[in-house]
């Protein structure tokens, strides 16, 4: 071929392409090869944060919707694949001949209208639970999202002075619908507790409402589901669903002020906490700390994790967090205190651990 001249690709005459171009056995082999991969993927469908293992009424609706979409999608995929393969395997002379306009009306208008209408019915059903009416005395919890943690205030509707605040951990009484009133202090976040409820945005200057109900006891992981900055992926929380009596006991403990130091070592930790400036940003009710920039620490010792579900709540982790939190959760707003020696940091951690 001379330079600059495009090669000419010759297609065979249409009628010559009547035999299957790909042997059916090869297709079957490929599909069989995909089966173990699919099983492997399905193994990831359970766990503390799986929307496919619902433990709440709203999450069950979402799971129904997901399965409806999955099976509808699978059916449409199979149909499209069949239509695609039909001309490959069927000899040309024996194919159906459907006028192009009818094909467009059936495949491009009728099929999407039917499929989307069915999904809309499922979607409306799943969405209705989000704003369900609740009895007057239902538990109400205000959740304010911050970069990158959750401020959680339990509201007493009759007596606001009985409200109390915690962070990054949501206690729920099993079998009782609870109202979450959700907003944000900075950017848009999204609260998603996949095993209990659907997700909803937290928007500055606006309050959204979500009704959640845990149907069984357990610890369920939640996650911010809207990109909100550097540590978005480390903006998690845990929901702890417990029987009613246990929930009431927890509420009483949380409502109480922090316990005074019970040993000399814990007292030394509190003194270091007060002297290091922690009180400027954190609240310890009854402990003389009234900062509001960071999470309320009044009962930090009772929580499962620190840094919004990012690390286990241990003395070592708290001590490390005080000095190196930027490495542990990049971009977080807390200053580092590398000048505090390890002894002092462990002592502060012991004090925080004592706040049960
Ligand atoms: Cu908050 Cu993503």
């Amino acid at each position: 071929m001379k330079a600059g001249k495009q090669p000419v690709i010759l297609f065979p005459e249409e009628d010559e392409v009547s035999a299957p171009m790909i042997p059916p056995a090869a297709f079957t082999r490929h599909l069989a090869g995909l089966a173990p991969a699919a099983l492997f993927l399905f193994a990831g469908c359970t766990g503390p944060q799986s929307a496919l293992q619902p433990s709440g009424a709203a999450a069950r609706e979402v799971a129904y919707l997901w399965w409806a979409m999955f099976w509808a999608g699978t059916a449409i995929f199979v149909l499209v694949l069949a239509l695609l393969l039909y001309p490959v395997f069927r000899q040309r002379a024996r194919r159906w001949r459907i006028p192009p306009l009818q094909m467009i009306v059936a495949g491009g208008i009728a099929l999407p209208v039917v499929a989307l209408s069915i999904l809309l019915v499922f979607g409306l059903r799943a969405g209705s639970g989000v704003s369900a009416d609740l009895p007057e005395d239902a538990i109400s919890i205000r959740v304010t999202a911050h970069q990158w943690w959750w401020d959680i205030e339990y509201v007493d509707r009759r007596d606001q002075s009985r409200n109390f605040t915690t962070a990054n951990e949501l206690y729920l009484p099993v079998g009782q619908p609870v109202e979450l009133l959700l907003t944000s202090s900075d950017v848009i976040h999204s609260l998603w507790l996949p095993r209990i409820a659907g997700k909803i945005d937290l928007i500055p200057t606006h309050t959204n409402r979500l009704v959640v109900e845990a149907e069984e006891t357990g610890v369920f992981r939640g996650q911010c589901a809207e990109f909100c900055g550097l540590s978005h992926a480390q903006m998690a929380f845990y929901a702890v669903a417990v029987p009613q009596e246990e929930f009431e006991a927890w509420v009483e403990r949380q409502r109480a002020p922090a316990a005074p130091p019970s040993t000399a070592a814990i007292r030394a930790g509190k003194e270091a906490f007060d002297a290091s400036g922690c009180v400027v940003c954190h609240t310890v009710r009854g402990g003389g700390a009234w900062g509001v920039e960071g999470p309320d620490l009044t009962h930090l010792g009772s929580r499962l994790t620190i840094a919004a579900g990012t690390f286990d709540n241990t003395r070592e982790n708290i001590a490390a967090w005080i000095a190196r939190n930027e490495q542990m959760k990049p971009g977080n707003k807390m200053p580092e205190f590398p000048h505090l020696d390890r002894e002092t940091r462990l002592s502060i951690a012991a004090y925080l651990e004592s706040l049960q």
Side-chain angles (χ1 to χ4, degrees):
M1 199 192 319
K2 283 180 190 147
K5 187 157 184 234
Q6 293 297 314
V8 178
I9 298 166
L10 291 174
F11 283 98
E13 287 298 320
E14 272 199 352
D15 280 341
E16 288 176 34
V17 199
S18 54
M21 289 184 290
I22 305 160
F27 263 108
T28 327
R29 264 205 309 279
H30 280 99
L31 286 177
L34 285 175
L39 281 178
F40 181 71
L41 288 175
F42 280 125
C45 295
T46 57
Q49 199 176 305
S50 171
L52 299 182
Q53 200 189 352
S55 298
R60 197 172 309 285
E61 291 294 328
V62 174
Y64 282 144
L65 179 61
W66 191 90
W67 282 111
M69 287 175 70
F70 175 79
W71 288 117
T74 304
I76 291 168
F77 176 71
V78 169
L79 178 69
V80 170
L81 210 61
L83 290 174
L84 187 74
L85 294 179
Y86 177 72
V88 176
F89 288 97
R90 189 80 167 174
Q91 283 183 354
R92 186 179 170 80
R94 300 174 63 193
R95 282 181 214 156
W96 306 324
R97 298 197 182 275
I98 303 170
L101 188 64
Q102 280 182 28
M103 276 295 258
I104 290 169
V105 170
I109 299 174
L111 184 64
V113 166
V114 171
L116 295 177
S117 300
I118 294 171
L119 287 177
L120 180 68
V121 172
F122 274 94
L124 289 175
R125 208 180 91 147
S128 63
V130 164
S131 52
D133 284 332
L134 289 185
E136 271 289 291
D137 58 346
I139 294 161
S140 188
I141 306 172
R142 252 180 235 137
V143 180
T144 307
H146 301 264
Q147 285 174 316
W148 290 273
W149 59 281
W150 312 86
D151 180 90
I152 295 172
E153 182 186 19
Y154 282 71
V155 179
D156 190 309
R157 291 179 203 239
R158 288 187 215 106
D159 181 1
Q160 299 270 316
S161 70
R162 284 167 63 77
N163 290 6
F164 64 88
T165 300
T166 176
N168 305 321
E169 205 162 281
L170 202 57
Y171 262 68
L172 301 171
V174 167
Q176 207 173 307
V178 170
E179 169 190 70
L180 303 184
L181 300 169
L182 306 137
T183 190
S184 164
S185 71
D186 37 47
V187 299
I188 297 177
H189 303 262
S190 175
L191 180 135
W192 193 27
L193 189 53
R195 286 192 59 183
I196 307 286
K199 73 174 88 144
I200 195 161
D201 279 2
L202 297 93
I203 301 166
T205 74
H206 176 84
T207 300
N208 273 336
R209 185 170 173 273
L210 182 71
V211 174
V212 300
E213 180 180 344
E215 288 176 341
E216 56 179 319
T217 58
V219 177
F220 307 100
R221 192 175 189 274
Q223 167 73 47
C224 177
E226 170 107 20
F227 180 73
C228 55
L230 198 55
S231 272
H232 151 74
Q234 287 162 308
M235 185 169 171
F237 65 99
Y238 280 88
V240 183
V242 293
Q244 181 70 34
E245 322 80 71
E246 211 177 304
F247 174 76
E248 279 162 16
W250 177 84
V251 166
E252 284 315 311
R253 283 199 304 278
Q254 295 289 317
R255 193 173 276 147
S262 57
T263 66
I266 292 174
R267 191 168 307 112
K270 177 177 171 10
E271 280 161 13
F273 179 86
D274 293 346
S276 305
C278 311
V279 297
V280 175
C281 295
H282 294 284
T283 288
V284 178
R285 270 179 292 124
W290 296 106
V292 292
E293 284 300 309
D296 187 302
L297 302 179
T298 307
H299 295 287
L300 178 71
S302 70
R303 295 182 206 151
L304 296 169
T305 65
I306 60 165
T310 310
F311 300 98
D312 284 339
N313 185 4
T314 65
R315 199 178 290 190
E316 287 289 333
N317 281 345
I318 295 174
W321 176 262
I322 293 169
R324 296 186 281 116
N325 59 67
E326 180 58 30
Q327 284 171 49
M328 296 167 76
K329 184 164 170 172
N332 88 86
K333 306 284 168 73
M334 178 166 151
E336 292 187 334
F337 294 79
H339 55 282
L340 295 180
D341 60 52
R342 190 175 143 74
E343 283 303 300
T344 308
R345 286 184 281 115
L346 281 171
S347 164
I348 293 174
Y351 164 59
L352 294 174
E353 214 174 41
S354 77
L355 300 176
Q356 289 292 320

